[in-house]
């Protein structure tokens, strides 16, 4: 009894997923096709009770629970608190509850509201920063600018959440490659999340961005340009004890480390790939 498609971050592969809402209330990002076929809606309390009963019928239980779909924090704070209470009561073994969180939702909540949600048990938030460049954020219809993105991330940290931020390599295309790299490093450094993931842009045929590519408004970066962009981004990143991963199926090169501690080693490895005549990037593309 899930409404498909259903998404969760790679690190929630073993988590029990409770689908609290359907879709994404923003649903306007040009590159994103995740919830385009879904009209955003909140589940009623009765629907949620039935959904949980259905999950329990299969005796699924988990120490980790992920609340789907795209942005549970767009719900009113009372509703989020009620859902967290219900989750802890029905799944008493749970040790970690997480969800995606849009920057707009974090900005709309007060510091006190966010703290109460954190204290009620929501521990880890995944926020798609996508880019730190105002131009890229605006072109992609993310709905916030650089300053607002920083504010949203810092607000989550201040309220005590563990925060995982994602940047999409290649989102500046060839025209804004350097700006995307430098400004993204600036935003991630200002937030200093607990986890930082670097994914690579994979364009879905049905997305708005695919039309832009056809019309010559956006030019996809090549694998070597993506590596150059990654190098510039890492060079400009100033982080403290941040777990870094670029091990998604979309990445050309798998990377993992702790920033800034492993920055030089990661950079040396990237430069070695870039300068090697034998470099064959791992690719996963849809276009
Ligand atoms: S990237 Fe996130 S905020 Fe944007 S449409 Fe997709 S799910 Fe919604």
């Amino acid at each position: 009894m899930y409404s498909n498609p259903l998404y969760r971050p790679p690190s929630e592969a073993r988590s029990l997923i409770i689908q609290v809402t359907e879709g994404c209330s923003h649903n306007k990002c040009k590159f994103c096709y995740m919830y385009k076929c879904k009209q955003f809606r909140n589940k009623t309390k009765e629907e949620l009770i039935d959904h949980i009963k259905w999950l329990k019928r299969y005796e699924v239980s988990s120490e980790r629970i992920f609340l789907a779909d795209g942005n549970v924090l767009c719900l009113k704070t009372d509703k989020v608190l009620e859902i967290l209470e219900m989750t802890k009561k029905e799944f008493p073994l749970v040790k970690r509850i997480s969800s995606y969180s849009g920057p707009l939702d974090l900005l709309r909540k007060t510091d006190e509201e966010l703290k109460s949600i954190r204290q009620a048990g929501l521990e880890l938030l995944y926020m798609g920063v996508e880019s730190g460049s105002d131009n890229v954020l605006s072109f992609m219809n993310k709905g916030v600018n650089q300053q607002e993105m920083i504010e949203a991330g810092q607000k989550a940290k201040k309220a005590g959440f563990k925060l995982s931020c994602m940047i999409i390599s290649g989102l500046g295309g060839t025209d804004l490659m350097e700006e995307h790299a430098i400004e993204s490093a600036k935003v991630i450094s200002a937030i200093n999340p607990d986890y930082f993931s670097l994914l690579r842009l994979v364009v879905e045929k049905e997305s708005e961005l695919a039309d832009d590519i056809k019309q010559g408004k956006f030019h996809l970066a090549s694998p070597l340009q993506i590596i150059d962009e990654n190098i510039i981004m890492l060079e400009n990143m100033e982080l403290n004890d941040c777990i870094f991963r670029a091990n998604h199926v979309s990445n050309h090169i798998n990377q993992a480390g702790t920033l800034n501690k492993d920055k030089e080693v990661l950079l040396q490895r990237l430069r070695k790939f870039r300068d090697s005549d034998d470099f064959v990037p791992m690719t996963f593309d849809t276009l």
Side-chain angles (χ1 to χ4, degrees):
M1 216 167 60
Y2 284 120
S3 136
N4 286 311
L6 184 70
Y7 294 94
R8 46 107 186 119
S11 51
E12 299 288 341
R14 293 176 190 279
S15 304
L16 171 67
I17 301 181
I18 303 180
Q19 196 169 30
V20 171
T21 58
E22 289 181 14
C24 161
S25 65
H26 179 60
N27 218 12
K28 291 188 185 117
C29 300
K30 270 189 184 182
F31 58 87
C32 174
Y33 197 69
M34 282 163 72
Y35 302 114
K36 286 286 189 280
C37 60
K38 282 186 182 181
Q39 178 73 36
F40 176 80
R41 73 178 197 98
N42 303 337
K43 276 198 171 133
T44 62
K45 190 171 178 181
E46 291 66 37
E47 281 176 303
L48 198 54
I49 290 169
D50 282 351
H51 182 56
I52 287 174
K53 263 192 209 154
W54 172 74
L55 287 169
K56 291 181 80 169
R57 204 183 319 151
Y58 293 96
E59 291 184 31
V60 278
S61 191
S62 176
E63 293 189 347
R64 291 186 172 189
I65 289 181
F66 181 75
L67 303 178
D69 277 342
N71 57 333
V72 171
L73 283 191
C74 73
L75 298 177
K76 290 207 169 96
T77 298
D78 287 351
K79 176 94 180 166
V80 180
L81 295 176
E82 186 182 45
I83 290 165
L84 289 167
E85 276 315 304
M86 203 189 291
T87 302
K88 287 187 296 186
K89 184 167 161 266
E90 299 295 337
F91 301 98
L93 296 181
V94 67
K95 288 193 178 143
R96 185 181 92 180
I97 306 175
S98 55
S99 77
Y100 285 127
S101 165
L104 284 165
D105 305 322
L106 286 162
L107 292 173
R108 282 188 199 112
K109 297 225 182 282
T110 64
D111 289 348
E112 288 64 38
E113 287 179 297
L114 289 175
K115 264 186 210 154
S116 66
I117 291 170
R118 173 65 196 93
Q119 279 160 12
L122 184 59
E123 181 182 340
L124 171 62
L125 298 179
Y126 296 88
M127 184 170 85
V129 172
E130 334 296 9
S131 175
S133 150
D134 276 336
N135 287 318
V136 177
L137 289 169
S138 158
F139 181 76
M140 294 293 168
N141 294 332
K142 187 68 191 173
V144 291
N145 61 25
Q146 180 190 79
Q147 194 45 45
E148 289 164 329
M149 191 66 86
I150 293 173
E151 219 179 289
Q154 289 180 340
K155 238 177 139 177
K157 292 281 296 169
K158 193 174 151 203
F161 290 99
K162 282 199 181 134
L163 185 64
S164 177
C165 288
M166 282 82 76
I167 290 283
I168 304 179
S169 275
L171 203 62
T174 51
D175 296 351
L176 296 174
M177 185 195 94
E178 195 171 341
E179 176 178 323
H180 171 59
I182 293 173
E183 298 304 310
S184 295
K186 195 190 282 180
V187 169
I188 297 297
S189 302
I191 296 173
N192 201 63
D194 302 272
Y195 307 95
F196 163 48
S197 305
L198 194 55
L199 283 72
R200 182 180 61 89
L201 176 65
V202 174
V203 184
E204 298 283 347
K205 287 190 187 88
E206 301 85 350
S207 67
E208 216 182 318
L209 189 58
D211 290 336
D212 282 353
I213 293 171
K214 276 184 217 142
Q215 291 166 28
K217 293 183 194 162
F218 184 88
H219 304 100
L220 283 171
S222 69
L224 278 178
Q225 286 171 321
I226 294 281
I227 296 180
D228 272 335
E229 181 212 270
N230 286 187
I231 290 172
I232 300 170
M233 203 182 295
L234 274 180
E235 279 172 345
N236 284 277
M237 204 74 84
E238 291 304 330
L239 291 165
N240 188 16
D241 268 340
C242 175
I243 295 172
F244 166 60
R245 296 286 181 265
N247 55 3
H248 186 251
V249 64
S250 63
N251 293 111
H252 287 317
I253 299 172
N254 272 348
Q255 301 175 76
T258 303
L259 292 172
N260 267 5
K261 183 170 74 66
D262 301 326
K263 184 164 145 174
E264 278 316 309
V265 178
L266 290 163
L267 280 168
Q268 272 172 26
R269 190 164 168 265
L270 283 174
R271 289 184 192 118
K272 206 168 141 192
F273 275 114
R274 182 193 57 190
D275 300 337
S276 158
D277 292 336
D278 305 329
F279 170 55
V280 181
M282 293 192 286
T283 47
F284 167 80
D285 285 306
T286 57
L287 273 181

